[in-house]
Amino acid sequence: MAYKYITLPNISPHSFSREVLFVTEGQDDALFLEALLEARKEDVGRIEVRYTDGIGGISGFLSGIAKSPAFTQHRLRAICVIVDADDSFQETEKRFQKELHTANLPSPNAGAVVARDRHWIGLYIFPRTGSIGMLEDLVLDSIRTDPRAELANNVLQKRIEEGIPLDLVSKRAVQIFLAISEGQICRGLGRGIRNGTIPFDHNTFEELNTFLDDFLAYR
């Protein structure tokens, strides 16, 4: 399936053709961002999204970007790292501030953008500033009143009450929601978003959209 903003995934970061780069840890995050950028009608020729197939791959990817001719010659003007908070927002923020610094890039606070030497660097952590969790938690907030989401939560709660140990509950809830939605069955959140099941106009995404407004307004 062709994408507008996503280019190649975890490859050598030396071949950028656009001036704005979003780096995510996983394919689902990239697919979410692809759909959101499309909903915002952002310029396809300006923005590129790449994912590293895991949070551990971002550090080396950032170092490669900082040394790439596209970056040093200012063809690549703006870089934004987007990751999940998981169990600690503060620790994740510190980790990626350190990794940006190690790559000799500016280190903004999460949800902020900083400028240096005609470059624009942003950092955003899902689900929202100060919260633990992941992208799926953000999406769940946008569909709380949807009967499909309520059914998914009821199924999981029943299993938990039965003593079944379940990890990544929000990810499981989204998968159930997608499984009982119209459209082609999908493997995860990213593919489900491509089926048009997520309401991007919901106020849940207001903070993220405000951040994107700020990041994409660089000059």
Side-chain angles (χ1 to χ4, degrees):
M1 184 179 293
Y3 300 109
K4 293 183 177 181
Y5 303 94
I6 296 175
T7 56
L8 298 174
N10 189 20
I11 64 169
S12 176
H14 294 283
S15 56
F16 301 105
S17 58
R18 305 177 198 180
E19 64 182 30
V20 179
L21 174 66
F22 287 92
V23 181
T24 73
E25 60 180 293
Q27 186 181 50
D28 277 344
D29 304 299
L31 289 165
F32 170 83
L33 193 55
E34 162 94 7
L36 179 57
L37 292 169
E38 186 172 8
R40 288 169 53 93
K41 296 181 170 58
E42 297 292 349
D43 183 356
V44 175
R46 182 182 177 220
I47 300 171
E48 181 171 356
V49 179
R50 294 196 187 184
Y51 58 93
T52 62
D53 279 330
I55 198 167
I58 293 180
S59 178
F61 195 76
L62 290 174
S63 295
I65 290 170
K67 298 172 184 176
S68 70
F71 183 79
T72 58
Q73 296 172 17
H74 296 92
R75 298 193 303 275
L76 175 58
R77 296 281 311 284
I79 301 168
C80 180
V81 176
I82 301 184
V83 295
D84 290 333
D86 293 326
D87 295 329
S88 174
F89 178 90
Q90 289 76 16
E91 289 303 314
T92 300
E93 180 181 47
K94 289 178 183 177
R95 171 178 178 174
F96 282 94
Q97 286 175 327
K98 181 178 179 180
E99 293 196 357
L100 285 162
H101 179 75
T102 299
N104 197 30
L105 296 169
S107 303
N109 293 330
V113 184
V114 296
R116 188 182 74 190
D117 188 26
R118 293 187 292 153
H119 287 118
W120 201 236
I121 310 298
L123 174 63
Y124 195 85
I125 298 177
F126 290 139
R128 59 182 56 80
T129 302
S131 299
I132 63 172
M134 58 186 67
L135 172 60
E136 283 79 3
D137 293 292
L138 178 66
V139 170
L140 281 174
D141 283 345
S142 73
I143 56 174
R144 289 292 178 195
T145 60
D146 189 302
R148 292 167 295 178
E150 293 180 13
L151 175 60
N153 285 325
N154 289 340
V155 169
L156 290 172
Q157 185 59 40
K158 185 173 185 296
R159 298 294 282 170
I160 291 170
E161 291 173 356
E162 292 171 349
I164 306 299
L166 297 176
D167 62 351
L168 302 174
V169 173
S170 60
K171 188 180 289 288
R172 293 171 187 269
V174 170
Q175 288 172 341
I176 295 172
F177 170 82
L178 293 172
I180 58 178
S181 298
E182 294 181 6
Q184 186 176 15
I185 193 168
C186 47
R187 291 173 293 174
L189 171 61
R191 300 292 179 183
I193 287 173
R194 298 279 287 183
N195 290 344
T197 57
I198 306 303
F200 283 112
D201 58 348
H202 195 277
N203 59 17
T204 294
F205 302 112
E206 183 176 353
E207 180 190 293
L208 176 56
N209 275 310
T210 298
F211 169 79
L212 292 175
D213 288 343
D214 292 342
F215 175 68
L216 293 172
Y218 80 91
R219 290 292 181 270

